[in-house]
Amino acid sequence: MSRIAYFGPRGTFTEQAARSFGDAEFVAVDTVPLVLAAVRAGEVDAGCVPVENSVEGAVTATMDSLAEDEPLYAVGEAILPVRFSILTRPGVKAEDVKTVASHPHALAQVRYWVAENLPNAVPVATTSTASAAVRVNEGEFDAAVSAPVAVMHYPLHELATDVADVDTAVTRFLLLRRPGHLPQPTGRDRTSLAVIIAHDEPGSLANTLSELALRGINLTRIESRPLRGQFGEYRFYLDLDGHIAEQRVGDALAALHRNSRQVRFLGSYPKADESTSDAPARATDADYQAAAEWLAKVREGL
Ligand SMILES: O=C(O)C(=O)Cc1ccccc1
């Protein structure tokens, strides 16, 4: 049975996401970098980590490691709705809560609720939502902002459930493997890249995006992160519809490789939402094939 490491301990949102990929032996690991290190070291077959949240944005520990450390490729994604339970030791009332602990992304998603309902509480960052529950159970903090499943693992009381400042918040998770396991195209795929474009050249970002637009490729996400140590220089993370096995996507990536300082492929994998990644008219593999056949003939002087 395959072994999947997830950002734990038990009872995180990431555990739920990891379990959505099917049956496996699941191994809880305390931080995102340690999950990715376990995959790189071959201690597990795959690792599941959060990558972005619809309210708070990128999970930078994931993005930085995928772009900078030994390559790993995404082979799947999961998108989970995120609503929280507020857990305390039994008997603790809202007015007694002086510290409310959680992962920074979770604290950011209940800021207004906490201000209104736990007026005496100071927020404290922990490595994960479940580690906050562990530390509340140990008496270190008064309340944890946790995934609803956490109450099954720790003997805590639900002070409130279904808590979220934004009702529709979701988090996207990636399943990552060492290179060599490219999933087959499904027609509903996403490709992720990290690109360092030419620095200080007018239009270089526009040129990069044009390579995608010209081939009818739908960009679903673009984010920049600073290149550490080089102030004013950035790496762009791109998510686009389509699979690297498709002509238009392969062609676009080859063009980015020619025109950029660095392109790192981060994976082509099935999308978790219902949308398709169909090529638009005149950009299907059949269109590319027909054009290549025409060119070959012309070049032969026919
Ligand atoms: O700490 C967790 O439970 C995680 O899996 C990370 C996280 C934190 C907040 C919202 C979604 C995921």
Side-chain angles (χ1 to χ4, degrees):
M1 189 182 273
S2 77
R3 278 162 60 81
I4 300 182
Y6 66 88
F7 173 36
R10 291 218 66 181
T12 56
F13 286 103
T14 311
E15 179 184 4
Q16 256 172 278
R19 289 184 186 279
S20 76
F21 292 109
D23 217 14
E25 185 187 332
F26 294 98
V27 184
V29 177
D30 273 345
T31 67
V32 165
L34 289 174
V35 170
L36 302 179
V39 183
R40 291 188 176 104
E43 289 161 23
V44 289
D45 301 296
C48 186
V49 291
V51 63
E52 64 168 326
N53 177 273
S54 62
V55 176
E56 197 52 15
V59 178
T60 54
T62 299
M63 314 260 293
D64 290 344
S65 180
L66 291 182
E68 290 170 13
D69 301 335
E70 212 182 302
L72 292 176
Y73 294 165
V75 296
E77 70 170 12
I79 297 176
L80 292 188
V82 172
R83 306 180 71 80
F84 301 92
S85 293
I86 310 298
L87 304 182
T88 57
R89 288 178 301 286
V92 172
K93 295 195 216 45
E95 58 267 31
D96 305 332
V97 174
K98 300 279 188 296
T99 48
V100 57
S102 200
H103 186 279
H105 273 233
L107 291 173
Q109 291 178 65
V110 299
R111 205 175 280 140
Y112 293 99
W113 188 93
V114 166
E116 198 156 304
N117 297 279
L118 302 175
N120 305 318
V122 174
V124 186
T126 53
T127 51
S128 68
T129 58
S131 111
V134 169
R135 293 169 73 175
V136 166
N137 190 37
E138 289 168 351
E140 199 179 337
F141 304 120
D142 299 326
V145 181
S146 293
V149 291
V151 76
M152 320 266 278
H153 303 296
Y154 309 102
L156 295 171
H157 163 75
E158 288 171 321
L159 189 68
T161 57
D162 216 25
V163 171
D165 290 345
V166 178
D167 279 352
T168 52
V170 295
T171 297
R172 188 163 77 97
F173 301 83
L174 294 178
L175 186 68
L176 295 149
R177 298 194 69 177
R178 292 180 296 284
H181 306 278
L182 185 67
Q184 293 293 318
T186 65
R188 312 145 74 90
D189 302 296
R190 196 187 311 284
T191 293
S192 295
L193 305 173
V195 183
I196 304 176
I197 61 176
H199 180 53
D200 265 354
E201 274 177 32
S204 56
L205 177 59
N207 291 341
T208 298
L209 298 182
S210 298
E211 298 290 0
L212 306 177
L214 286 169
R215 293 173 178 86
I217 294 173
N218 185 34
L219 186 68
T220 56
R221 179 187 183 207
I222 178 166
E223 293 231 10
S224 66
R225 295 268 303 142
L227 292 188
R228 294 187 257 210
Q230 287 153 281
F231 185 68
E233 296 191 37
Y234 301 89
R235 175 185 279 112
F236 289 88
Y237 292 83
L238 309 181
D239 280 353
L240 41 104
D241 277 348
H243 192 288
I244 193 171
E246 293 172 75
Q247 281 285 342
R248 71 188 194 291
V249 178
D251 256 35
L253 266 56
L256 296 192
H257 184 81
R258 276 192 290 106
N259 293 324
S260 312
R261 259 165 63 192
Q262 191 193 89
V263 178
R264 185 183 274 206
F265 175 67
L266 300 178
S268 287
Y269 48 91
K271 293 201 277 189
D273 57 39
E274 295 300 304
S275 59
T276 63
S277 58
D278 292 340
R282 296 180 295 283
T284 66
D285 279 2
D287 294 319
Y288 273 86
Q289 181 68 27
E293 282 166 13
W294 170 82
L295 182 64
K297 260 200 202 157
V298 175
R299 280 177 172 162
E300 280 169 29
L302 297 172

